[in-house]
C-alpha cells in the first residue's frame, strides 16, 4: 500500500467478515427447504418475491440483506437499480416479515463467496416488539449494527446508503436493544475496523474519564502550556475525546508504546507546536513509569523554550524521546548586499540540525506557524535561493519550495527500511478580533465548536504539503490533525500562559493571549493518541 499517497487519511471500506446468526431445529429446516423449492411463489407482504434482489455473490452481488444471517460474502457496491429493489425489501424488514439463514456446513466447506443455493432457511421474523425477549433467551446472536456495502442494518431496521459510521442515536432509534448489548457489539465492530478507518475524520465527544496524566503531575511541561498551574479555573478542556466516525480507536497504552520504542530513538522536529506535542508524549510515557527518576532530560534541563536540542531518556527501556527546534525545517541565514547584511531564509538548504535526527527510528516533522509572522508572510527581501534573494515572493510559494527541499532531503538521507517518517499537519488557531500581536482573543472559551459551518477550510499550507507528498519516494505518514484542532477553540492557554499576581495583571494580559498553543493535559494528548494508532496501523501494513 502506498503510504505516501494514502497517508492514513483515506476512507477505507469496513472489514469483510463472516457473521453469526440463529440455529434452528431439523424439523424447521425440512419445512423451510420445501419453501425454498417454491421460492418463486414465496412473496412478502407487498407482493414482492421474498428472494428478490438476491444475486449470486460469486458475481460480487448482495447476499446479506437481513439481520439474521449465518454467513455472508464480501459485498460489492450496490447499483442504482438494486437500491430500488432494496427499498421494497427494506419495507419488508421494517414490517418484521422474515429472515434468512445460510447453511453452516457449506460455510465451513466453501468459505465465501456463497451462492443463493446455500440459503437453506426462510423463517418468519418476530416483530421488534419481541426483540428484547429474543436477546434474553439467546435466540438473537447478531450485532446491534451491521454495515454491508452501502446497506446498513440496525437491529432489524434497514437503511439504504447509510454511512457505516452511523451515529449511535440513529442506530438505536425505535429499537429495544439494551444499552449494554448495543455498546458492546458496536464497540466490537469498531475496534475490529480501526485499521482500515480514517481516524482523522470524526468529532469530539464528552469523556469524563481521567486524562493520561493528572493536571499538575508532570514537571516537564513548560509554564506557558500548564494552564492548571497558571490558574485556569475550569477543567472542561480535558473532558473530551476524539471519536472517528467509522471506528473506535484504542487508548494510548504507554507501556506498550515504550516497549515499541525499546532501544530506539523518537524525535520531534519543528516549531513550538511540535514542542507542545513532545512534552505531552513525555508526560504520558513518564506517568506509566514506577520509578520516575529513571526518566530525565540528559542535560538536566527543565525548560525547553529556547532553540536547541532536548532529549528525554527512558532508562528502563533504553530509548529516548527528543525534540529538535527547527521552526522552518530549512535554514535561517543572512545575506550581505550593497545596503549591508540582513536576515534571510534559505529555501534551498535544510537547517543545520539534521545531523541530530537523520539516524532516528521515528521522526515527527512539522512546520507552519512561523510562516504566518510578519516577515515571512510579507516575503520582501527575505527568501533566498543560492545567491539570489527574492525581492518579493508569496509566502505560500516559499512554503512549498521549503517543503520540496525537505522532501528531497528525506528521500536522499532517510533509510526507509529503518526510519519511519511522519508529518504532523497544521494546528489551527482561534484568534478573534485580531492576531496574536494585535489583540486577538480566545479567552473564556470552555466548549468546542459543534456547528461545522463555523469550521475553516482545509489549510492552504496542507494543500501545498499534499502536492509535495505525492512526489516523494519515501513513505510518509500524514497526521492530519488540522480539522480536529479546528473544533477545539476551548483548548488554548489564552490568558493562562502565565501566573498573575493581581487581577489587573490578568486583565492587561487579555491583550496578548495565546490562542495558538494548547494546554497540557489537553489536545496534544490526542495527537499522540493518533500517533500511537498510526504506528499500530503501520506495523500491520494498513
Amino acid at each position: 500500500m502506498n503510504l505516501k499517497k494514502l497517508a492514513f487519511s483515506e476512507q477505507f471500506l469496513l472489514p469483510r467478515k463472516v457473521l453469526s446468526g440463529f440455529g434452528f431445529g431439523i424439523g424447521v429446516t425440512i419445512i423451510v427447504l420445501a419453501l425454498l423449492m417454491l421460492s418463486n411463489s414465496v412473496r412478502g407482504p407487498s407482493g414482492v418475491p421474498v428472494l428478490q434482489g438476491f444475486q449470486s455473490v460469486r458475481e460480487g452481488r448482495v447476499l446479506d440483506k437481513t439481520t439474521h444471517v449465518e454467513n455472508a460474502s464480501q459485498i460489492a457496491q450496490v447499483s442504482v437499480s438494486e437500491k430500488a429493489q432494496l427499498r421494497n425489501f427494506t419495507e419488508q424488514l421494517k414490517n418484521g416479515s422474515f429472515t434468512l439463514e445460510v447453511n453452516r456446513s457449506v460455510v465451513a466447506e466453501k468459505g465465501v463467496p456463497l451462492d443463493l443455493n446455500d440459503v437453506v432457511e426462510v423463517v418468519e421474523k418476530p416483530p421488534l416488539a419481541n426483540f428484547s425477549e429474543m436477546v434474553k433467551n439467546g435466540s438473537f446472536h447478531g450485532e446491534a449494527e451491521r454495515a454491508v456495502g452501502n446497506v446498513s442494518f440496525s437491529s432489524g431496521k434497514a437503511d439504504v446508503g447509510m454511512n457505516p459510521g452511523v451515529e449511535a442515536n440513529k442506530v438505536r432509534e425505535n429499537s429495544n436493544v439494551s444499552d449494554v448489548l448495543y455498546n458492546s457489539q458496536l464497540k466490537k465492530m469498531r475496534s475490529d475496523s480501526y485499521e482500515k478507518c480514517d481516524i482523522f475524520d470524526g468529532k469530539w465527544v464528552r469523556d469524563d474519564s481521567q486524562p493520561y496524566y493528572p493536571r499538575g503531575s508532570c514537571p516537564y511541561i513548560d509554564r506557558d502550556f500548564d494552564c492548571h498551574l497558571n490558574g485556569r479555573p475550569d477543567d472542561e478542556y480535558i473532558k473530551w475525546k476524539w471519536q472517528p466516525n467509522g471506528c473506535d480507536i484504542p487508548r494510548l497504552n504507554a507501556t506498550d508504546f515504550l516497549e515499541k520504542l525499546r532501544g530506539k530513538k523518537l524525535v520531534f522536529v519543528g516549531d513550538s507546536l511540535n514542542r507542545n506535542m513532545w512534552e505531552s508524549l513525555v508526560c504520558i510515557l513518564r506517568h506509566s513509569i514506577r520509578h520516575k527518576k529513571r526518566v530525565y532530560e540528559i542535560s538536566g534541563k527543565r525548560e525547553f523554550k529556547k532553540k536547541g536540542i532536548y532529549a528525554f531518556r527512558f532508562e528502563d527501556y533504553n530509548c529516548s524521546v527528543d525534540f529538535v527546534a527547527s521552526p522552518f525545517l530549512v535554514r535561517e541565514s543572512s545575506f550581505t548586499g550593497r545596503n549591508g547584511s540582513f536576515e534571510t531564509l534559505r529555501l534551498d538548504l535544510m537547517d543545520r540540525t539534521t545531523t541530530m535526527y537523520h539516524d532516528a527510528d521515528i521522526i515527527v516533522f512539522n512546520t507552519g506557524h512561523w510562516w504566518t509572522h510578519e516577515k515571512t508572510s510579507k516575503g520582501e527581501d527575505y527568501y533566498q535561493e543560492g545567491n539570489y534573494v527574492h525581492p518579493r515572493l508569496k509566502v505560500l510559494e516559499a512554503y512549498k519550495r521549503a517543503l520540496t527541499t525537505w522532501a528531497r532531503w528525506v528521500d536522499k538521507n532517510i533509510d526507509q527500511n529503518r526510519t519511519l517518517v511522519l508529518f504532523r499537519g497544521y494546528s489551527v488557531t482561534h484568534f478573534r478580533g485580531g492576531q496574536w500581536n494585535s489583540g486577538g482573543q480566545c479567552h473564556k472559551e470552555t466548549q468546542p465548536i459543534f456547528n461545522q459551518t463555523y469550521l475553516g477550510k482545509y489549510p492552504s499550507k496542507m494543500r501545498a504539503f499534499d502536492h509535495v507528498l505525492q512526489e516523494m519516494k519515501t513513505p510518509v505518514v500524514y497526521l492530519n490533525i488540522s480539522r480536529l484542532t479546528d473544533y477545539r477553540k476551548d483548548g488554548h492557554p489564552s490568558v493562562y500562559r502565565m501566573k498573575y499576581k493581581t487581577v489587573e495583571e490578568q486583565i492587561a494580559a487579555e491583550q496578548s493571549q495565546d490562542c495558538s498553543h494548547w494546554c497540557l493535559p489537553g489536545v496534544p494528548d490526542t495527537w499522540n493518541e493518533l500517533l500511537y494508532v498510526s504506528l499500530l496501523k503501520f506495523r500491520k501494513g494498513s
Side-chain angles (χ1 to χ4, degrees), residues 81-97:
S81 61
E82 288 171 328
K83 286 183 179 180
Q85 295 175 355
L86 280 171
R87 291 191 182 93
N88 293 330
F89 193 88
T90 298
E91 290 302 316
Q92 297 177 54
L93 284 178
K94 289 181 179 178
N95 294 333
S97 304

Side-chain angles (χ1 to χ4, degrees), residues 138-315:
S139 60
F140 180 81
H141 303 276
E143 285 83 349
E145 173 181 331
R146 296 183 178 181
V148 185
N150 281 353
V151 186
S152 180
F153 295 87
S154 309
S155 304
K157 180 176 179 180
D159 295 297
V160 179
M162 184 180 291
N163 188 299
V166 63
E167 295 181 4
N169 61 339
K170 293 181 181 178
V171 175
R172 297 167 62 189
E173 182 181 0
N174 297 327
S175 172
N176 292 326
V177 186
S178 68
D179 287 344
V180 174
L181 173 68
Y182 171 78
N183 291 332
S184 63
Q185 296 292 348
L186 184 56
K187 183 175 181 180
K188 180 179 184 301
M189 182 197 73
R190 284 178 159 172
S191 63
D192 288 344
S193 62
Y194 82 85
E195 296 170 21
K196 298 180 180 179
C197 167
D198 181 359
I199 60 176
F200 303 102
D201 176 26
K203 63 191 175 203
W204 292 93
V205 297
R206 181 78 179 188
D207 180 24
D208 290 320
S209 61
Q210 293 298 313
Y212 284 109
Y213 49 100
R215 294 187 301 163
S217 68
C218 186
Y220 300 120
I221 298 175
D222 278 320
R223 186 60 182 261
D224 46 351
F225 300 155
D226 199 331
C227 302
H228 172 70
L229 187 63
N230 292 331
R232 179 165 176 169
D234 72 293
D235 63 353
E236 293 296 300
Y237 61 95
I238 63 171
K239 293 187 176 182
W240 299 93
K241 73 173 182 178
W242 180 248
Q243 175 63 66
N245 287 327
C247 61
D248 277 337
I249 54 176
R251 275 180 63 86
L252 192 161
N253 185 320
T255 302
D256 181 56
F257 202 126
L258 284 166
E259 284 292 350
K260 288 174 170 52
L261 289 180
R262 186 179 290 277
K264 294 181 173 60
K265 177 180 177 182
L266 186 159
V267 185
F268 291 86
V269 182
D271 59 26
S272 55
L273 274 299
N274 245 18
R275 174 164 57 90
N276 221 172
M277 185 177 180
W278 168 68
E279 291 181 14
S280 162
L281 185 60
V282 168
C283 292
I284 292 173
L285 299 181
R286 175 185 178 274
H287 188 63
S288 70
I289 301 293
R290 181 177 181 182
H291 301 291
K292 301 292 192 288
K293 291 183 178 179
R294 295 180 66 79
V295 180
Y296 53 88
E297 204 283 318
I298 58 174
S299 62
K301 296 176 182 176
R302 291 288 187 113
E303 295 182 1
F304 315 106
K305 292 186 65 173
K306 294 182 180 179
K307 281 190 178 182
I309 299 163
Y310 307 95
F312 267 94
R313 175 88 176 160
F314 289 79
E315 197 69 43

Side-chain angles (χ1 to χ4, degrees), residues 124-137:
E124 181 180 0
K125 178 183 151 199
L128 273 178
N130 298 328
F131 191 84
S132 295
E133 197 62 34
M134 296 165 61
V135 173
K136 291 178 181 178
N137 62 31

Side-chain angles (χ1 to χ4, degrees), residues 9-47:
S9 60
E10 292 290 339
Q11 184 70 31
F12 293 87
L13 293 176
L14 283 174
R16 300 160 175 176
K17 55 189 289 189
V18 175
L19 305 178
S20 62
F22 293 100
F24 292 91
I26 297 176
V28 176
T29 303
I30 295 174
I31 295 173
V32 174
L33 281 172
L35 289 174
L36 275 174
M37 295 176 64
L38 302 174
S39 59
N40 289 335
S41 63
V42 179
R43 295 183 175 271
S46 61

